[in-house]
């Protein structure tokens, strides 16, 4: 290919040389060929075989240098020097190359050497429909009065098409319409289109007409161009305003805020300008309230909310709206706007108590009516449906009546003022709106008392401990009862239950009817009366009156009000004095005599102690502090006095001790005289001792009987008393009020145990002691001698 290019540049120089020679010598060869090709052919398209058509030898073409030597136009074509084929070198635009509708020819000069020859080749470029008709302007506007008569002509722009012949503009067409046709006028080679008015115009029906004019050429397929035609119809005031609707129906909620747009009324006037400018207004005949709630914009026809709405005041509003144009004279029309108000749940239910009994007796039967109520709601529909209920967990029910939203409150169970004396009944009414609204009302009900509770004592029986020798007329005890009822039913009074018997102790008692304070009208003596029992009755003031009683057990407590009594030596003329004769030859430790005494008191108050107050010779005699035994300390001598006087003091262990004295005169005699005297004395003493023993046995029997009675009473009380109450004391006739316990003492070689009111089995009561003294034998000695102590008061 590169070699072919170089040979071509060399050939150009040779061509110039040979061409000049041809002119000089006049040797020319003429040959003419004609080809025809369409425009817009692609590069490389074969136009024809020039060598073949000219009759040139193909074998010598390469040497003869066949080529195109025409002017600038030859740039569109080239020839293949090897085979003589004429080719399109670049696209050809006929409309650019040849203006006009005539034939478009390109003449080419073909040069060949050896021998030098010139051939003329004519190539006709035929038209191709490659251009569409076009208008100089895309849009054309006309103004036509609506009263224009049919036949009016409107000249349109003519279209242009660069193509020639059959491919040029052939005709015009108009879009389908009711008022215009198109007409074509031929002027020289141009076709001029016109619009012809065929039917009268009405601006109110259509104030603008948009048409499409299409120019079509004759190509196959045909091409076209379009012109937009706008026709404006000029107005006259021949139409009145017209609303889109004669009646507007609007629904809005009652809670819409002020300033909200309620509706937009819209009227139209087919006229234009002042003839079509509208002004809106409310009718002057409406109710005054409408002007306070609604406001109309005179320009836009917008109706806005000026005041608040309330469905409960009015459910619908009717507004008459007027529209007027500004023509001369103005034309008007009317429409009606109906505004329906939709209910909103904005009213809570209302609870009304039509009747109420604030006080209900506690003995009311279930189903007793205490109140009538009614509920209502200003809202409507679902918003006005009400569900009512009362507080749960109380003995009251809400019972519906035959009439809707009417109820009665009744008791649903038995009432007890002593358990609950006051009820707050809360009534809740809730509507079925969304969201639901509720109302509450509280009724205060007092439960009236009925005397259904008798007075009660906190404890039964009661124990009272009273020291003997109390002051007559002074309070000794107080009972207290309570009544769960109220007012008069709880006002209580006390009185004693009197037996009226001969030994009825209540004759010496009195009770304060208001406060239950018990007063003793006499002083009690423990040694005479250790315990007694009476009953107090308490009654309320109800109708009928209810009562209850309580048993009061009174235990008399001992005081040290009895002085010791000397039993031996025997008293005479107010003084206890005895004479004892003993042999002079007795040994140390000899029992001279025993001073015996007793005390009516018990416990420490009856525990006696013996002491020597006066003695002639302290080295001769000793007194046992606890037993009262007088023994010799040593043997007598010749120098000892024959008679000795011993003053013995016997005292108890009370807080303030009481005492008695006894005088024992000891006479020393010779052994023979002593034996004789002892016989006589022993006989007298035997009589005396027998009497003393007799009294002691009677006393021991009485104490034993009292002890057995006390045990029986204790067992009976333990069996009869409730499990939640335990008596801490022994209700025994001889009970001194001290706790049960034992105390052991040792004196010399003897051992003693003091036991309280509850004595051990097998214990022994010392006759005549009047004390609960247990004596344990000394197991280290065989002697049967025992010593007694009184039980001291704690």
């Amino acid at each position: 290919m590169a070699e072919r290019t170089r040979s071509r540049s060399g050939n150009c120089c040779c061509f110039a040389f040979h061409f000049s020679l041809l002119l000089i010598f006049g040797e020319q060869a003429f040959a003419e060929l004609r080809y025809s090709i369409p425009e817009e052919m692609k590069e490389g398209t074969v136009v024809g075989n020039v060598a073949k058509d000219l009759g040139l030898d193909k074998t010598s073409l390469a040497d003869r240098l066949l080529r195109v030597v025409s002017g600038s136009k030859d740039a569109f074509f080239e020839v293949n020097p090897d085979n003589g084929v004429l080719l399109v070198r670049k696209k050809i635009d006929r409309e650019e190359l040849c203006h006009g509708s005539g034939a478009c020819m390109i003449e080419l000069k073909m040069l060949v050497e050896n021998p030098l020859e010139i051939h003329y080749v004519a190539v006709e470029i035929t038209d191709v429909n490659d251009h569409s008709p076009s208008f100089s302007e895309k849009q054309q506007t006309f103004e036509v009065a609506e009263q224009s008569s049919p036949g009016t002509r409107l000249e349109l722009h003519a279209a242009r098409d660069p193509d020639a012949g059959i491919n040029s503009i052939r005709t015009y067409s108009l879009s389908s319409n009711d008022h215009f046709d198109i007409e074509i006028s031929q002027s020289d080679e141009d076709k001029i289109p016109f619009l012809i008015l065929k039917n009268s115009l009405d601006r109110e029906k259509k104030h603008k007409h948009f048409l499409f004019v299409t120019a079509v050429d004759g190509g196959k397929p045909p091409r076209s161009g379009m012109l937009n035609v706008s026709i404006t119809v000029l107005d006259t005031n021949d139409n009145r305003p017209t609303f889109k609707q004669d009646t507007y129906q609007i629904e809005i909620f009652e809670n819409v805020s002020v300033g909200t747009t309620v509706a937009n009324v819209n009227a139209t006037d087919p006229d234009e300008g002042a003839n079509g400018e509208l002004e809106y207004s409310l009718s002057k005949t409406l109710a005054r309230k409408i002007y306070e709630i609604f406001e109309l914009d005179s320009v836009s026809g917008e109706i806005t909310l000026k005041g608040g709405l309330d469905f409960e005041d009015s459910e619908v509003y009717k507004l008459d709206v007027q529209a007027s144009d500004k023509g001369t004279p103005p034309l008007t029309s009317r429409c009606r706007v109906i505004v329906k108000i939709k209910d909103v749940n904005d009213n809570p239910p209302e609870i009304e108590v039509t009747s109420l009994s604030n006080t209900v007796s506690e003995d009311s039967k279930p189903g007793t009516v205490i109140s009538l109520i009614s509920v209502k709601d200003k809202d409507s529909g679902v918003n006005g449906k009400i569900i009512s209920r009362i507080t749960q967990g109380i003995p009251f029910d809400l019972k519906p009546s035959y009439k809707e939203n009417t109820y009665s409150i009744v008791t649903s169970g038995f009432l007890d003022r002593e358990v609950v004396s006051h009820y707050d009944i809360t009534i809740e009414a809730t509507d079925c709106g969304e969201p639901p609204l509720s109302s509450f009302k509280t009724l205060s009900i007092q439960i009236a008392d009925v005397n259904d509770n008798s007075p009660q004592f906190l404890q039964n029986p009661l124990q009272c401990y009273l020291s003997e020798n109390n002051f007559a007329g002074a309070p000794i005890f107080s009972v207290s009862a309570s009544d769960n009822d109220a007012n008069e039913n709880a006002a209580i009074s006390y009185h004693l239950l009197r037996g009226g018997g001969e030994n009825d102790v209540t004759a010496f008692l009195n009770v304060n009817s208001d406060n239950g304070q018990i007063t003793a009208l006499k002083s009690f003596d423990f040694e005479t009366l250790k315990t007694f029992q009476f009953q107090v009755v308490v009654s309320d003031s109800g109708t009928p009156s209810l009562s209850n009683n309580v048993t009061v057990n009174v235990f008399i407590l001992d005081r040290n009000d009895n002085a010791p009594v000397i039993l031996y030596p025997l008293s005479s003329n107010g003084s206890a004095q005895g004479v004892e004769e003993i042999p002079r030859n007795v040994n140390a430790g000899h029992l001279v005599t025993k001073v015996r005494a007793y005390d009516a008191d018990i416990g420490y108050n009856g525990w006696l102690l013996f002491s020597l107050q006066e003695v002639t010779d302290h080295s001769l005699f000793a007194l046992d502090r606890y037993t009262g035994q007088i023994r010799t300390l040593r043997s007598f001598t010749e120098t000892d006095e024959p008679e000795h006087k011993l003053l013995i003091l016997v005292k108890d262990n009370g807080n303030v001790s009481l005492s008695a004295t006894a005088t024992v005169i000891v006479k020393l005699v010779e052994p023979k005289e002593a034996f004789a005297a002892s016989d006589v004395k022993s006989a007298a003493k035997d009589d005396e001792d027998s009497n003393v023993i007799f009294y002691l046995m009677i006393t021991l029997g009485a104490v034993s009987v009292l002890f057995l009675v006390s045990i029986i009473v204790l067992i009976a009380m333990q069996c009869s008393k409730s499990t939640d109450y335990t008596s801490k004391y022994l209700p025994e006739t001889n009970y001194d009020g001290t706790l049960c316990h034992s105390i052991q003492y040792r004196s010399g070689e003897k051992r003693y145990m003091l036991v309280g009111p509850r004595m051990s089995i097998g214990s022994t009561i010392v006759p005549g002691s009047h004390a609960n003294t247990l004596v344990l034998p000394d197991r280290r000695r065989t002697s049967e001698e025992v010593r007694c102590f009184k039980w001291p008061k704690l």
Side-chain angles (χ1 to χ4, degrees):
M1 193 63 187
E3 293 177 358
R4 184 176 297 177
T5 303
R6 286 193 298 269
S7 64
R8 283 185 179 178
S9 13
N11 290 339
C12 289
C13 296
C14 292
F15 169 73
F17 173 73
H18 290 295
F19 182 70
S20 60
L21 290 178
L22 180 61
L23 292 176
I24 295 173
F25 293 104
E27 295 183 23
Q28 297 181 359
F30 295 96
E32 184 174 352
L33 291 176
R34 183 181 292 271
Y35 296 104
S36 176
I37 63 171
E39 63 178 328
E40 303 293 340
M41 297 301 291
K42 294 181 180 180
E43 296 177 7
T45 302
V46 176
V47 178
N49 195 324
V50 177
K52 180 179 178 182
D53 292 337
L54 292 177
L56 299 177
D57 185 8
K58 292 183 179 181
T59 59
S60 61
L61 283 179
D63 296 330
R64 297 189 67 184
L65 299 176
L66 176 64
R67 57 191 179 277
V68 178
V69 294
S70 58
S72 61
K73 292 183 179 180
D74 60 354
F76 289 107
F77 299 96
E78 64 181 358
V79 64
N80 189 332
D82 295 329
N83 56 15
V85 175
L86 184 62
L87 303 173
V88 175
R89 185 177 179 186
K90 66 178 182 179
K91 281 187 178 181
I92 302 172
D93 187 354
R94 178 188 174 283
E95 288 73 30
E96 182 182 348
L97 184 63
C98 302
H99 301 285
S101 59
C104 182
M105 302 292 292
I106 298 177
E107 291 186 355
L108 302 176
K109 292 180 180 180
M110 308 294 294
L111 180 63
V112 62
E113 298 179 7
N114 299 319
L116 182 62
E117 295 178 1
I118 295 177
H119 300 279
Y120 294 93
V121 177
V123 180
E124 181 181 4
I125 307 302
T126 60
D127 185 45
V128 174
N129 193 21
D130 57 346
H131 291 85
S132 299
S134 62
F135 293 89
S136 57
E137 295 181 3
K138 295 295 182 181
Q139 186 169 350
Q140 189 173 0
T141 303
F142 297 97
E143 290 186 350
V144 181
E146 64 178 329
Q147 67 269 27
S148 298
S149 58
T152 302
R153 294 167 61 88
L154 303 174
E155 184 177 353
L156 299 171
H157 296 312
R160 296 289 180 267
D161 192 336
D163 294 327
I166 193 172
N167 293 329
S168 63
I169 294 174
R170 176 61 60 92
T171 184
Y172 291 89
S173 63
L174 182 64
S175 59
S176 177
N177 67 95
D178 295 332
H179 298 279
F180 295 93
D181 276 339
I182 193 167
E183 187 177 281
I184 301 173
S185 176
Q186 188 74 32
S187 174
D188 296 333
E189 296 181 356
D190 295 331
K191 293 180 174 66
I192 300 175
F194 289 87
L195 284 179
I196 306 298
L197 181 63
K198 64 178 181 179
N199 293 317
S200 299
L201 299 175
D202 187 349
R203 197 203 68 80
E204 286 72 36
K205 291 182 179 179
K206 194 171 184 179
H207 68 284
K208 276 195 175 183
H209 297 267
F210 296 99
L211 305 176
F212 301 101
V213 177
T214 304
V216 183
D217 61 22
K220 291 185 180 180
R223 287 177 174 266
S224 61
M226 185 176 292
L227 173 66
N228 295 327
V229 178
S230 175
I231 301 171
T232 302
V233 182
L234 301 179
D235 181 54
T236 58
N237 191 24
D238 57 348
N239 293 279
R240 67 178 58 252
T242 304
F243 285 96
K244 289 184 177 180
Q245 298 174 228
D246 292 336
T247 302
Y248 292 82
Q249 290 196 1
I250 308 299
E251 290 186 352
I252 59 174
F253 288 100
E254 62 175 323
N255 63 342
V256 295
S257 57
V258 174
T260 301
T261 298
V262 176
N264 273 299
V265 295
N266 188 15
T268 58
D269 192 324
D271 299 326
E272 66 176 1
N275 298 330
E277 292 184 12
L278 301 181
E279 185 175 16
Y280 301 93
S281 62
L282 291 174
S283 174
K284 305 298 183 182
T285 61
L286 300 177
R288 183 173 182 178
K289 190 173 184 179
I290 292 180
Y291 299 105
E292 297 174 355
I293 297 177
F294 299 98
E295 186 174 24
L296 176 63
D297 190 300
S298 60
V299 177
S300 65
E302 182 179 71
I303 300 174
T304 56
L305 196 62
K306 183 180 179 182
L309 298 175
D310 191 349
F311 174 84
E312 288 69 38
D313 290 343
S314 179
E315 298 181 15
V316 64
Y317 294 94
K318 296 179 180 179
L319 290 70
D320 291 328
V321 180
Q322 178 178 288
S324 300
D325 63 23
K326 296 182 179 180
T328 305
L331 301 177
T332 63
S333 62
R334 290 188 178 187
C335 73
R336 169 162 286 191
V337 179
I338 300 175
V339 181
K340 292 184 178 181
I341 310 303
K342 297 173 67 176
D343 184 41
V344 173
N345 192 26
D346 58 346
N347 291 284
E350 297 177 3
I351 303 173
E352 180 182 0
V353 180
T354 57
S355 66
L356 173 64
S357 299
N358 290 321
T359 303
V360 181
S361 178
E362 65 175 321
D363 61 351
S364 299
K365 295 180 180 179
T368 302
V369 178
I370 66 169
S371 178
L372 295 176
I373 65 169
S374 61
V375 293
K376 61 182 179 179
D377 196 318
K378 292 181 180 179
D379 297 320
S380 63
V382 176
N383 296 331
K385 294 294 182 182
I386 305 172
I387 299 174
S388 302
R389 50 184 170 267
I390 65 173
T391 310
Q392 299 295 316
I394 59 175
F396 298 94
D397 275 342
L398 192 65
K399 185 177 180 181
S401 176
Y402 69 94
K403 188 177 180 180
E404 187 178 8
N405 293 335
T406 302
Y407 303 88
S408 59
I409 298 178
V410 300
T411 57
S412 62
F414 292 98
L415 305 176
D416 190 347
R417 190 205 65 82
E418 288 70 39
V419 177
V420 180
S421 62
H422 173 84
Y423 288 96
D424 287 328
I425 303 175
T426 301
I427 306 168
E428 179 185 3
T430 304
D431 59 30
C432 297
E434 186 62 39
L437 299 179
S438 299
S439 293
F440 300 88
K441 196 172 192 69
T442 300
L443 307 181
S444 294
I445 305 298
Q446 296 291 339
I447 308 302
D449 185 49
V450 173
N451 192 27
D452 56 350
N453 290 277
S454 61
Q456 297 293 324
F457 291 95
L458 294 178
Q459 182 178 337
N460 192 359
L462 299 175
Q463 313 297 333
C464 173
Y465 297 93
L466 175 65
S467 297
E468 65 175 331
N469 304 325
N470 57 293
F471 293 103
I476 62 171
F477 192 59
S478 181
V479 295
S480 178
S482 60
D483 195 318
N484 290 332
D485 295 321
N487 302 325
E488 291 184 358
N489 297 328
I492 57 178
S493 61
Y494 303 89
H495 67 274
L496 292 174
L497 184 63
R498 303 184 186 275
E502 181 180 354
N503 297 323
D504 186 13
V505 75
T506 58
F508 305 104
L509 300 176
N510 193 15
V511 63
N512 188 314
S513 62
D514 295 327
N515 57 24
Q517 189 176 71
I518 300 171
T519 304
L521 303 179
K522 62 170 286 187
S523 178
F524 294 101
D525 184 8
F526 174 80
E527 288 71 33
T528 303
L529 180 66
K530 291 181 173 54
T531 181
F532 63 89
Q533 183 183 86
F534 64 93
Q535 288 187 328
V536 180
V537 179
V538 60
S539 302
D540 60 27
S541 300
T543 304
S545 177
L546 300 178
S547 62
N548 205 343
N549 56 26
V550 64
T551 299
V552 181
N553 293 312
V554 180
F555 298 94
I556 307 299
L557 303 180
D558 182 46
R559 284 186 174 183
N560 192 24
D561 59 345
N562 292 280
V565 176
I566 305 297
L567 296 178
Y568 179 83
L570 298 177
S571 298
S572 63
N573 298 325
S575 63
Q577 183 173 347
V579 178
E580 295 291 339
E581 293 180 354
I582 60 173
R584 186 180 285 272
N585 59 349
V586 295
N587 295 323
H590 176 75
L591 175 64
V592 177
T593 187
K594 179 178 181 180
V595 178
R596 294 182 176 89
Y598 80 95
D599 194 321
D601 298 320
I602 65 171
Y604 283 102
N605 295 329
W607 188 6
L608 301 180
L609 296 177
F610 301 86
S611 63
L612 278 174
Q613 296 296 310
E614 295 180 11
V615 64
T616 305
D617 189 348
H618 289 283
S619 65
L620 287 175
F621 302 99
L623 176 64
D624 191 301
R625 185 178 182 184
Y626 300 106
T627 64
Q629 292 180 353
I630 301 173
R631 293 181 182 274
T632 59
L633 293 176
R634 63 179 175 81
S635 300
F636 295 101
T637 63
E638 293 295 333
T639 60
D640 291 330
E641 294 291 335
E643 184 175 304
H644 298 274
K645 181 180 180 179
L646 283 70
L647 181 62
I648 300 165
L649 176 66
V650 181
K651 66 176 182 179
D652 59 26
N653 277 276
N655 290 332
V656 178
S657 296
L658 299 179
S659 62
T661 59
T663 302
V664 176
I665 297 174
V666 180
K667 292 181 178 182
L668 302 178
V669 296
E670 294 301 324
K672 293 181 180 180
E673 296 177 0
F675 290 142
S678 63
D679 292 337
V680 176
K681 189 174 181 178
S682 62
K685 190 173 182 181
D686 289 339
D687 293 338
E688 181 185 348
D689 289 342
S690 64
N691 292 332
V692 171
I693 292 171
F694 175 73
Y695 291 122
L696 289 176
M697 290 179 65
I698 292 175
T699 303
L700 178 61
V703 171
S704 299
V705 170
L706 289 176
F707 173 72
L708 292 175
V709 171
S710 299
I711 294 298
I712 294 172
V713 172
L714 175 63
I715 294 173
M717 292 183 66
Q718 290 292 333
C719 293
S720 63
K721 69 180 180 179
S722 60
T723 57
D724 59 345
Y725 172 74
T726 303
S727 176
K728 297 181 180 179
Y729 303 100
L730 174 64
E732 180 189 0
T733 55
N734 290 326
Y735 179 48
D736 64 349
T738 59
L739 299 177
C740 298
H741 64 285
S742 63
I743 303 174
Q744 295 188 19
Y745 295 92
R746 183 177 297 277
S747 177
E749 298 178 344
K750 298 187 183 304
R751 184 165 57 92
Y752 305 92
M753 177 179 290
L754 305 182
V755 182
R758 298 182 183 176
M759 295 188 242
S760 303
I761 298 175
S763 60
T764 303
I765 301 177
V766 177
S769 67
H770 295 282
N772 297 333
T773 304
L774 301 187
V775 181
L776 300 180
D778 190 351
R779 302 185 183 277
R780 297 174 298 176
R781 300 179 58 183
T782 60
S783 174
E784 296 298 329
E785 183 180 10
V786 295
R787 297 185 182 185
C788 299
F789 289 88
K790 287 185 176 292
W791 174 250
K793 178 180 179 181
L794 296 178

